[in-house]
Amino acid sequence: MLNSKFTILSVLALGGFAGASPYYTECLCTHGDPCWPDAATFAQLESQVSQPLIYPLPTASACYPAANPSGNCSEVIENWTDAPNFETFEFKNGTISACYLNTSLGVPCEQGNVPVVGVDARTPGDIKAAVNFAVKYNLKLVVKNTGHDFLGRSAARGAERLQTKHTKVALSVAIGVPMKAHPAMFTAVTLGAGVQWHEAYDAVNQYGRMMVGGASLGGSVGAAGGWLQGGGHSALSPTYGLGVDNAIEITVVISTGELLIANKYQNSDLFWALRGGGGGTYGIVTSVTYRTYESLPVAFYLFQANFTDTTAMKELIAGMLQFQTNLTDDGWGGYAIMNNTSMYFFTIAPNMSTEAANASTQAWTDYASGLQSQGVTSLAQIYPIPSWYEWYTTLFSSPGQNGGNTMLTSRLLSRDTLANQYEDVAEILVDFQGSFNMIAGGKVSQIDPESAGVNPAWRNAVVEAVCGVSWDEGATSKEIEEEISQLKTWISALNDVAPNDGAYFNEASLFEIDWQTTFFGSHYSQLKDVKDKYDPCRLFVVAEGVGSEEWNNELTCRL
């Protein structure tokens, strides 16, 4: 029997869809509903996949013997800074279901927002079986790779999880793949969905190659998942483009259970959409083939400034923003962080001599030095590094804070904004302790905005400004809302200053203004057409993803 909240429509609505349910329903089935499959039915799924089904538990459950008797609490504590986001679930009445690492809070370990059952996919066949099962029984399905997701797209209470982080045995790293369909021969690398960036970098470095990829601490972000589908930025982007500009083939399982090859010549509209149109929206990516580049030395520009007060800080940040266009167009890429008293630049330029690096940065260095009388002390140094790989492993190989109770927002700052409103932006960055990434401009600006589904705002952007809030374990819903309120204030302030600049979908919040335009710009309508074509079963729906406006806030019932 179906729950009364479900409405049965014509069988013809899904006629012709492989493996589709004979019922088209307004709401998806979640754990606890009468429609949820029983153990015998899940056993049928288990017989079709290569691994036993998984029954996910919250990360901290290992520290609660009653909840997870076989768990290793010491291991959880050691790796807690790399914990995924959005494991807690807040009910409409303000109560919270969670499993906290801090057991002294006296709160029982509960499932929270963690799915209750899933498939540990190792092959495309596993993925196809999980997709067909979800469609047949109309289940809420979420796809999780590594779980680095600030929008919570890889978690959902009462859902089936399709886990892809282990799809790297059958779909392992392969170097030197010639693309037969392409007129040129690339030295490329094919990465299975579960390959993480540190693994990809290690592999291509053995062949004297480097590639455009992410730079999270520990390199634990998935290299062939949501990073690419959101756009994928890198410190190398000003020289080589975004991740979407370097993908040359993608394999994906869509909701009909078909495994498709998408490139410039096959399923080209899907290939276009997957490159920046948002993760978890069109299908489940099983592998990506990327261009690689000759490993080159880099010039490393390290800049540090200390401030005596916020006035001095705003003066320096305003000047810094003015110089960014020239720096990124020269090939400089990297990251800047700041706090109440100091700011640091970590930027590189591939294949740039020390002499050329000094010439490129001299105007900015001189400007910063000239602010000493206003309370700014600065230090700048150019270091020649033998390879990009050595720079990366020195700065990012150690594990660090990649998850937790965190929510971000971002803004792509255009050339026009930096030229004309740098003082307004500087005040916002200082007031809200924002940071920024030098991961646009240069090559990113030279690529046709219509070549990929990524937000066209990227092609006008120079830097990405980022701000975040966080809260302690055990925080009440009121305390969390206070932090979110601060974030909304920052979102509103930057939207007022730069309303047309857009935001980066992978580093954003659930509270962005006009999210369809902010995340996808003028591409939204075309992306929606691709979504409707390749996801006829309406299986893939994520927070603020293309087509999600057709669903309720819980993404379980169609409006």
Side-chain angles (χ1 to χ4, degrees):
M1 292 289 294
L2 292 174
N3 190 313
S4 59
K5 72 178 181 178
F6 295 96
T7 301
I8 302 175
L9 300 180
S10 173
V11 174
L12 296 177
L14 284 178
F17 295 165
S21 169
Y23 303 110
Y24 180 82
T25 58
E26 293 179 347
C27 293
L28 297 172
C29 184
T30 57
H31 183 256
D33 290 330
C35 56
W36 187 255
D38 58 20
T41 306
F42 274 110
Q44 295 174 18
L45 172 61
E46 188 167 61
S47 70
Q48 299 168 14
V49 295
S50 64
Q51 304 294 315
L53 295 184
I54 56 174
Y55 298 90
L57 293 172
T59 305
S61 64
C63 300
Y64 295 77
N68 186 3
S70 61
N72 185 336
C73 185
S74 297
E75 182 179 354
V76 169
I77 293 172
E78 181 180 353
N79 296 291
W80 185 250
T81 54
D82 200 34
N85 294 288
F86 284 86
E87 285 200 346
T88 61
F89 182 84
E90 183 176 342
F91 293 95
K92 292 180 179 180
N93 64 4
T95 60
I96 294 174
S97 174
C99 187
Y100 299 123
L101 181 66
N102 183 2
T103 58
S104 66
L105 292 172
V107 178
C109 177
E110 296 182 343
Q111 192 73 11
N113 208 38
V114 179
V116 295
V117 67
V119 171
D120 181 10
R122 307 298 175 99
T123 69
D126 290 342
I127 294 174
K128 292 171 67 174
V131 164
N132 288 337
F133 186 84
V135 169
K136 182 176 182 179
Y137 293 100
N138 197 40
L139 304 185
K140 171 70 176 174
L141 179 72
V142 295
V143 183
K144 180 180 178 181
N145 189 345
T146 60
H148 294 286
D149 194 336
F150 294 106
L151 287 166
R153 294 169 293 182
S154 58
R157 184 173 177 83
E160 175 193 352
R161 173 190 289 176
L162 205 167
Q163 181 171 285
T164 62
K165 70 177 182 179
H166 294 133
T167 52
K168 45 192 170 186
V169 176
L171 293 170
S172 58
V173 175
I175 304 297
V177 179
M179 298 301 296
K180 295 179 181 179
H182 200 282
M185 294 288 287
F186 296 106
T187 301
V189 57
T190 298
L191 306 176
V195 174
Q196 295 173 301
W197 277 120
H198 71 92
E199 297 171 310
Y201 296 147
D202 290 347
V204 299
N205 182 66
Q206 297 177 35
Y207 294 83
R209 311 294 293 181
M210 63 182 186
M211 61 188 299
V212 174
S216 64
L217 292 170
S220 56
V221 169
W227 178 86
L228 171 70
Q229 293 170 67
H233 67 62
S234 165
L236 293 173
S237 290
T239 300
Y240 300 109
L242 298 170
V244 297
D245 304 322
N246 287 279
I248 49 183
E249 186 166 280
I250 303 172
T251 59
V252 56
V253 175
I254 62 174
S255 63
T256 59
E258 298 171 87
L259 175 64
L260 301 181
I261 296 174
N263 56 36
K264 186 177 180 179
Y265 304 95
Q266 304 176 69
N267 302 302
S268 57
D269 53 349
L270 179 59
F271 182 57
W272 179 86
L274 287 170
R275 290 179 298 132
T281 300
Y282 311 94
I284 301 172
V285 170
T286 63
S287 71
V288 179
T289 300
Y290 289 104
R291 291 183 180 90
T292 67
Y293 298 91
E294 178 187 359
S295 181
L296 297 172
V298 298
F300 177 27
Y301 178 59
L302 180 61
F303 176 86
Q304 176 183 350
N306 297 309
F307 324 103
T308 57
D309 54 44
T310 56
T311 300
M313 186 177 183
K314 289 176 182 178
E315 186 75 18
L316 181 74
I317 301 302
M320 173 199 69
L321 294 171
Q322 288 181 282
F323 279 96
Q324 289 309 301
T325 301
N326 290 338
L327 291 173
T328 56
D329 283 351
D330 282 349
W332 291 101
Y335 313 95
I337 58 175
M338 64 185 77
N339 54 38
N340 288 322
T341 60
S342 60
M343 182 187 73
Y344 298 87
F345 263 19
F346 304 92
T347 58
I348 55 169
N351 208 29
M352 184 180 287
S353 68
T354 300
E355 294 74 20
N358 277 315
S360 176
T361 58
Q362 194 64 54
W364 158 248
T365 302
D366 291 345
Y367 173 85
S369 298
L371 296 176
Q372 186 170 357
S373 62
Q374 300 181 45
V376 177
T377 57
S378 60
L379 176 66
Q381 183 67 50
I382 302 288
Y383 298 96
I385 308 292
S387 69
W388 173 87
Y389 180 75
E390 183 172 324
W391 173 79
Y392 170 81
T393 53
T394 299
L395 268 66
F396 294 98
S397 59
S398 299
Q401 184 70 46
N402 288 314
N405 301 314
T406 303
M407 188 173 288
L408 296 185
T409 185
S410 65
R411 204 74 184 172
L412 301 173
L413 302 179
S414 68
R415 292 169 184 264
D416 180 71
T417 296
L418 294 186
N420 299 302
Q421 294 170 284
Y422 54 87
E423 291 181 340
D424 294 332
V425 174
E427 185 166 352
I428 294 170
L429 285 173
V430 172
D431 289 348
F432 291 92
Q433 293 297 293
S435 60
F436 73 96
N437 300 321
M438 297 170 59
I439 38 70
K443 182 69 172 180
V444 176
S445 299
Q446 299 166 18
I447 295 173
D448 180 2
E450 303 308 314
S451 64
V454 71
N455 191 342
W458 272 103
R459 306 308 177 184
N460 296 318
V462 178
V463 296
E464 177 204 20
V466 181
C467 177
V469 295
S470 60
W471 50 89
D472 294 332
E473 280 196 316
T476 64
S477 59
K478 180 180 179 181
E479 291 168 335
I480 295 172
E481 186 54 43
E482 288 174 351
E483 293 295 331
I484 292 175
S485 179
Q486 291 185 25
L487 193 68
K488 289 179 179 178
T489 301
W490 195 85
I491 292 171
S492 179
L494 262 187
N495 184 73
D496 290 343
V497 171
N500 301 316
D501 286 3
Y504 180 35
F505 192 26
N506 285 346
E507 292 167 358
S509 83
L510 298 171
F511 308 103
E512 305 295 339
I513 298 169
D514 185 14
W515 62 265
Q516 289 98 330
T517 301
T518 297
F519 291 146
F520 307 106
S522 60
H523 286 164
Y524 189 82
S525 177
Q526 189 175 350
L527 290 168
K528 181 63 166 58
D529 289 342
V530 176
K531 162 73 172 175
D532 292 343
K533 175 181 176 180
Y534 288 96
D535 184 19
C537 303
R538 301 298 190 269
L539 178 64
F540 303 112
V541 55
V542 297
E544 300 192 348
V546 172
S548 63
E549 70 275 11
E550 299 175 349
W551 296 77
N552 64 357
N553 290 337
E554 293 76 28
L555 302 178
T556 53
C557 294
R558 291 184 64 115
L559 300 176

